[in-house]
Amino acid sequence: MNFLPKQTRIEFLIRMADASLARFGSIFLTIGLLPFLAFTFSSLSIRPLWNDELFTYYIGSLASLSEVWQALATGGEQMPYFYYIIMWNVLHWFGASEVTVRLPSFLGFLVGLSSIFFVLRRRIGPSYAAIGAMLPAATGFASYLSEGRPYGLLVGFTGLALCAWQAAGDSKWRRPALFLLTVSLFVLPGIHYFGVLILPILVLGEALRERSSHAFDLAVIAVLFLAPLASLGLNLPLLFISAKENVGTFWASRGSLADAAYVVRVAYISAWSAPILAMSWLVPLAIRGWLREPYSEEIRPANPLPPAEWAIAIGASLLPFLGLIVTYVVKGAFVDRYFIQMIFGVSIITATILSICFLPFGRNGSFAKASAMSVAVFLALAGWQILKEAKAKRNELAAAVDILQSDTDASIPIVSCETHKFLELSHYAQAPIKDRLVYLSNREYASRWLGVTSVEKGMYRLVGPWFRTNVADYDQFLRDHRKFLLFCDASGAWVHEQLASEGWSFELRKKATLFNLFEVRKESSN
């Protein structure tokens, strides 16, 4: 090939790649995703379990499902019973570890990605469908999709519900689709109460589909309403307890229109940035004709999604606004991850618009396949970043343990200011440190400094007795101890503020970038 001019050699290499993409594109896409999945899976065992995941670990490790119900009945955990049925079986069959706590969500995440691919493949072709399937991993929700909480499972069963709803209109797959739709919609509210938010979106889509087909599908309508309502009915006792204990006192606020708009805006910006950055270098090549469309005679619709599916995609992407209404009606809390199902709408809309914008280059030719491969490379870098963050979290925990181990006076208790770090250190620190760790709980003081008490209720009723950690009453502990160590992050906490207001003296023993260790004392008054 050296006898060819330089420009001709470049064109020859590009056309060779073009032909390879056209013939082996699916294999290249699969290989392209492997680095991201490998990095993400590796992070499961490296990243320490954090506060919320430790709730899953300890409740899922209880001796029986009746004990799980009793622990949830304290109101200290807001996840439904069915989620813990799943986790209890996983942890008892495969053992309790970082990987097993997170594996169900990781598998649910993979199912969710696959579901987006199958929903889009019949509309915009496999290449742009692959781009759509990869986009959830590029959003700010990516870290939740593989953590030991129900969000990955929520994504997985939502994806199955969307696939089943789409297939229910096909007579060939109608019966299995109805069965899958029933199971998915029954499970969704059972693993997270906010999973029911997808229901009105599906009802809207079904109404538009029936309007266009001029047929009333009683079976689908019955499944859409009865399956989630039956699941909520089974969880009503725990739902009422959770509402009674946390309404008005939950750690998170009800949010605002600005909060909902921010969540939607960030999701779209992150979803669009990945393909734009990955595809930008391909556009000049396609314009020059180097990435040809091998089936240029194929007729493709400019708008590939039917109105019903557009409605579902748009409605799903706006779930934070629907969630905002719910939080105001039931006086609940607005937390962005509760609306993680919105990634389906964001991904479907983004991939479809990309396929429309680049329609002149073809929807399944070399340009589309090269674009999907480029997004996969971009995601590999994102996966590497997830792995780096997991290692940073483990190093941060090790630094906290080192600070505590540097104090050799085993007779002095160590009070942790912050609930998250207390639970993580109680789980990972060795016995000498673990035995000295204490969390001081008091609803009145927490309400005074923070304005909420749900965390204190959970610590006193659930974390202390059920997780076998040392949670003590604030006033009683201070009556029994005139000297102790106080472990705080750099921002402090309500315990630190309350002690200072009561005249306790602080002497800095150890200082690090993220943590401080104080000796706290108060001279006895005569």
Side-chain angles (χ1 to χ4, degrees), residues 51 54-55 58-59 62 71 74 76-77 419 422-423 426 437-441 454-473:
N51 181 82
L54 288 168
F55 275 65
Y58 284 109
I59 297 176
L62 292 174
T74 63
E77 165 67 307
T419 56
F422 166 74
L423 195 52
S426 296
L437 277 171
V438 185
Y439 179 79
L440 304 185
S441 178
S454 61
V455 173
E456 301 306 308
K457 292 177 184 176
M459 295 297 291
Y460 203 73
R461 296 179 181 178
L462 178 63
V463 175
W466 288 94
F467 298 3
R468 291 182 171 84
T469 57
N470 192 6
V471 177
D473 178 74

Side-chain angles (χ1 to χ4, degrees), residues 3 21 110 210 271 275 295 402 428 436 458 468 470 478 492 509:
F3 60 87
L21 284 169
L110 295 182
E210 293 182 6
Y295 306 110
D402 288 342
Y428 284 104
R436 296 167 60 193
R468 291 182 171 84
N470 192 6
L478 296 186
R509 295 278 289 267

Side-chain angles (χ1 to χ4, degrees), residues 59-87:
I59 297 176
S61 300
L62 292 174
S64 66
L65 287 173
S66 63
E67 287 191 2
V68 170
W69 180 275
Q70 294 171 44
L72 295 177
T74 63
E77 165 67 307
Q78 291 76 49
M79 296 305 159
Y81 184 54
F82 191 79
Y83 170 65
Y84 278 105
I85 293 178
I86 296 174
M87 295 309 303

Side-chain angles (χ1 to χ4, degrees), residues 8 10 157 336 355:
T8 305
I10 295 174
F157 282 102
D336 60 352
S355 74

Side-chain angles (χ1 to χ4, degrees), residues 107-398:
L107 295 178
F109 167 45
L110 295 182
V111 171
L113 298 189
S114 302
S115 300
I116 294 174
F117 176 80
F118 287 116
V119 166
L120 285 173
R121 184 178 63 172
R122 61 196 302 182
R123 306 301 186 204
I124 60 176
S127 297
Y128 282 104
I131 293 176
M134 289 185 280
L135 292 182
T139 67
F141 293 109
S143 61
Y144 298 120
L145 295 173
S146 59
E147 75 170 25
R149 297 298 275 170
Y151 307 112
L153 288 172
L154 194 63
V155 167
F157 282 102
T158 300
L160 292 176
L162 290 176
C163 282
W165 175 84
Q166 187 186 60
D170 187 344
S171 59
K172 180 180 179 181
W173 301 103
R174 180 170 174 78
R175 287 189 176 181
L178 285 174
F179 174 77
L180 183 59
L181 183 62
T182 303
V183 172
S184 301
L185 292 181
F186 180 83
V187 170
L188 280 173
I191 56 177
H192 198 289
Y193 295 122
F194 275 83
V196 78
L197 288 180
I198 200 67
L199 174 60
I201 309 301
L202 288 174
V203 170
L204 174 63
E206 181 61 23
L208 290 176
R209 183 164 69 178
E210 293 182 6
R211 180 182 178 184
S212 62
S213 64
H214 304 288
F216 181 73
D217 197 331
L218 179 60
V220 172
I221 291 295
V223 169
L224 288 178
F225 283 98
L226 295 181
L229 289 178
S231 180
L232 285 174
L234 294 176
N235 282 282
L236 271 182
L238 291 177
L239 184 57
F240 283 142
I241 291 172
S242 180
K244 178 183 177 182
E245 295 296 330
N246 295 292
V247 166
T249 65
F250 198 61
W251 60 268
S253 65
R254 287 187 291 177
S256 63
L257 284 173
D259 294 326
Y262 175 79
V263 173
V264 174
R265 183 170 66 253
V266 169
Y268 269 106
I269 290 174
S270 58
W272 273 95
S273 62
I276 287 177
L277 290 174
M279 297 167 64
S280 58
W281 70 279
L282 295 171
V283 174
L285 302 182
I287 291 175
R288 295 199 61 171
W290 286 342
L291 294 174
R292 307 184 311 279
E293 168 60 72
Y295 306 110
S296 57
E297 74 279 1
E298 182 183 348
I299 299 175
R300 302 173 185 81
N303 182 10
L305 285 188
E309 294 179 19
W310 270 115
I312 288 179
I314 294 172
S317 69
L318 299 178
L319 268 183
F321 291 99
L322 178 59
L324 185 66
I325 296 172
V326 172
T327 59
Y328 271 82
V329 171
V330 302
K331 297 183 179 180
F334 185 91
V335 183
D336 60 352
R337 58 183 177 270
Y338 291 177
F339 318 113
I340 198 169
Q341 294 161 300
M342 70 176 295
I343 63 176
F344 288 93
V346 172
S347 300
I348 290 171
I349 290 173
T350 301
T352 303
I353 291 178
L354 285 173
S355 74
I356 294 172
C357 291
F358 295 110
L359 183 62
F361 302 147
R363 285 211 173 114
N364 198 35
S366 297
F367 176 82
K369 290 184 173 67
S371 298
M373 287 178 57
S374 297
V375 175
V377 172
F378 184 90
L379 287 187
L381 299 177
W384 173 249
Q385 185 62 32
I386 289 174
L387 185 59
K388 283 180 61 179
E389 291 174 359
K391 293 178 179 178
K393 287 293 184 183
R394 182 164 288 277
N395 293 336
E396 178 185 321
L397 179 64

Side-chain angles (χ1 to χ4, degrees), residues 471-489:
V471 177
D473 178 74
Y474 176 91
D475 293 322
Q476 183 61 50
F477 178 86
L478 296 186
R479 282 193 291 268
D480 297 337
H481 300 84
R482 310 304 292 181
K483 176 183 174 183
F484 54 90
L485 299 179
L486 185 68
F487 180 75
C488 291
D489 62 17

